[in-house]
Amino acid sequence: MVSATTEEKPGRNLLSFPTSCAAPQPRPGEPVKVVPLAIAAAGAIALSWYVWATYGGKFGALLVLGLFLGVALFHSRFGFTSAWRQLIAVGNGQGLRAHALLLGTAATLIALIASTGSGLFGATPKVTAGPIGLGLFAGAAVFAIGMQLGGACASGTLFAVGSGQSTIVLTLGGFIAGSVLYTWAFPIFDGWPQVSGFLLSEHVGWFGSWAITIAVLLGIVLLTRVIQARRTPPPVDVVPTARGFARVFRGSWPVLAGAVVLGVLAAAVFLVSGGTWGVTYAFGLWGAKFLQLLGLHPETWEFWQTPANAKTLAGPIWTEKTSLTDIGIMLGAAVAAAAAGAWKIRSEIPWRTAVAAVLGGVLMGVGARLAGGCNIGAYLAGISTGSLHGWLWGAFALLGTWIGLRIRPLFGLANPKPSDSVC
């Protein structure tokens, strides 16, 4: 994690990122939550064995990768929602610099995999450019507003639910409801103006695509330094942690270490499945299957009548990539949180917070589908594969974050302030 300092004068050292004061020292972690750890670990092992034995190595490997993603997301507390909020509200760019490292790591490994055509379990890695149009712009902004109200992004929702955060369960429920709403209203959203996407590798090759991506990411790191030096924000808060070697298993990890691990795991999903890591498609699928259990017929909706979607809805969730990694993330986060002594359920949720959580989830569900992805499926996947739509998603998500910060106080949600001791 980048150290905080107030002694460096702006411009003297481009690799210093001054804050108004030093970050507090992390408190010791709580004792291991033995019962939650045993239940989560047993569930993870049993489900991994079942999927691997029943559906094959490819799907079993994807579930296991999801478990590792959940562990890494929780131990590093890797945030997209908080990173954008801290940057817009007070100018602290630590989270965005962690994004740059994650994106650069994933871009490097994905370029190697895609350029060589290497894949596991018979997968053929394939990269496509996301379309660019009104749906992308509006969807990214709506998603960002939703995550500021709901308190988490797509990946953050999953690892927060796995770690026992009660409020985020409401966010996940809203997320699924919003995804179902989009699939039901698909004819309204289909056909919005758009143009074909732009893939760097199709114009400058994979090395050129990688070099341009890394150069832009370095530029973003330097830009956050300029912003942070001008605004001298509060440091990012810290969480309890274990000491020494135990920190590997009980957290918390430095956010930059988490970024590297997550970048490697994102590339591993690409290697195993042939496609990029995604999150939100599963939510619409889960919602549709739940409606079928209630005797309703979402399979008659236009969205679920396209050949690919119809095949997915008719099949088990254990052969659908995003469902496997999503379930793995929740189980992996549960294991990590219990090991860190941080797994707990809070029963008291202020009503305005609950309303914001559900509303934020609905907005994220609609926004993600409208934009063709979320902070993972569009932002991370797009930028790491050299697709222009990933960069545009990020730009409009920043705009949505700015709007979301102005809405948060209506629900009693606080924003970081320059006078705070931490953000």
Side-chain angles (χ1 to χ4, degrees):
M1 188 176 295
V2 178
S3 60
T5 177
T6 57
E7 299 177 359
E8 298 274 3
K9 293 184 179 181
R12 181 167 295 180
N13 182 355
L14 289 177
L15 295 181
S16 67
F17 302 98
T19 54
S20 59
C21 61
Q25 291 297 314
R27 303 180 304 278
E30 296 291 330
V32 175
K33 304 287 187 181
V34 177
V35 174
L37 176 59
I39 294 173
I45 294 170
L47 186 59
S48 299
W49 176 84
Y50 168 75
V51 172
W52 202 296
T54 306
Y55 299 101
K58 175 180 178 179
F59 301 113
L62 286 170
L63 179 60
V64 171
L65 286 173
L67 294 172
F68 285 123
L69 284 166
V71 170
L73 284 165
F74 178 80
H75 276 325
S76 62
R77 306 305 201 274
F78 200 91
F80 292 86
T81 304
S82 58
W84 283 314
R85 180 164 63 240
Q86 291 157 359
L87 179 70
I88 297 296
V90 294
N92 191 314
Q94 176 179 301
L96 199 62
R97 291 189 289 275
H99 291 189
L101 182 58
L102 163 62
L103 293 164
T105 302
T108 301
L109 296 176
I110 286 174
L112 290 172
I113 295 168
S115 62
T116 59
S118 304
L120 297 179
F121 303 103
T124 302
K126 183 179 180 181
V127 173
T128 57
I132 298 170
L134 182 59
L136 173 67
F137 307 149
V142 168
F143 182 92
I145 294 171
M147 68 181 181
Q148 294 304 330
L149 296 180
C153 58
S155 54
T157 296
L158 293 171
F159 90 74
V161 168
S163 62
Q165 296 186 33
S166 308
T167 303
I168 307 301
V169 174
L170 299 176
T171 303
L172 178 59
F175 215 143
I176 294 172
S179 301
V180 170
L181 175 62
Y182 174 89
T183 60
W184 173 74
F186 177 71
I188 298 174
F189 299 113
D190 189 34
W192 284 20
Q194 66 179 31
V195 297
S196 299
F198 181 89
L199 200 62
L200 279 171
S201 60
E202 294 180 347
H203 302 272
V204 294
W206 274 108
F207 179 78
S209 174
W210 170 83
I212 292 171
T213 300
I214 297 300
V216 176
L217 291 173
L218 289 174
I220 290 173
V221 170
L222 293 179
L223 178 61
T224 66
R225 193 263 177 241
V226 173
I227 294 171
Q228 193 156 327
R230 289 173 62 89
R231 299 181 66 178
T232 316
V236 173
D237 199 6
V238 296
V239 297
T241 185
R243 301 290 183 182
F245 184 71
R247 190 176 184 184
V248 175
F249 305 100
R250 301 196 60 222
S252 66
W253 299 351
V255 67
L256 297 183
V260 173
V261 173
L262 289 169
V264 171
L265 291 172
V269 171
F270 184 67
L271 182 67
V272 169
S273 69
T276 52
W277 176 24
V279 171
T280 56
Y281 181 84
F283 297 157
L285 175 63
W286 298 351
K289 285 186 173 291
F290 178 71
L291 292 179
Q292 287 180 325
L293 287 176
L294 297 178
L296 302 177
H297 299 281
E299 68 275 5
T300 63
W301 300 350
E302 184 176 328
F303 179 87
W304 293 111
Q305 289 186 331
T306 61
N309 291 335
K311 180 180 179 181
T312 301
L313 182 58
I317 62 171
W318 309 117
T319 57
E320 198 278 307
K321 179 183 69 173
T322 57
S323 292
L324 289 166
T325 52
D326 286 1
I327 293 169
I329 288 171
M330 289 188 284
L331 284 172
V335 170
W343 195 94
K344 61 184 64 178
I345 295 178
R346 295 178 176 86
S347 58
E348 296 181 0
I349 304 173
W351 72 267
R352 286 198 296 174
T353 302
V355 171
V358 175
L359 176 59
V362 170
L363 292 176
M364 285 194 287
V366 173
R369 297 276 43 86
L370 189 58
C374 60
N375 57 294
I376 300 298
Y379 177 62
L380 170 59
I383 292 176
S384 63
T385 57
S387 176
L388 178 60
H389 87 287
W391 293 105
L392 294 172
W393 192 99
F396 280 88
L398 283 174
L399 172 61
T401 297
W402 182 85
I403 297 171
L405 293 185
R406 279 142 186 82
I407 301 175
R408 279 171 59 87
L410 299 177
F411 296 91
L413 302 174
N415 293 321
K417 299 184 294 294
S419 58
D420 292 340
S421 58
V422 292
C423 61

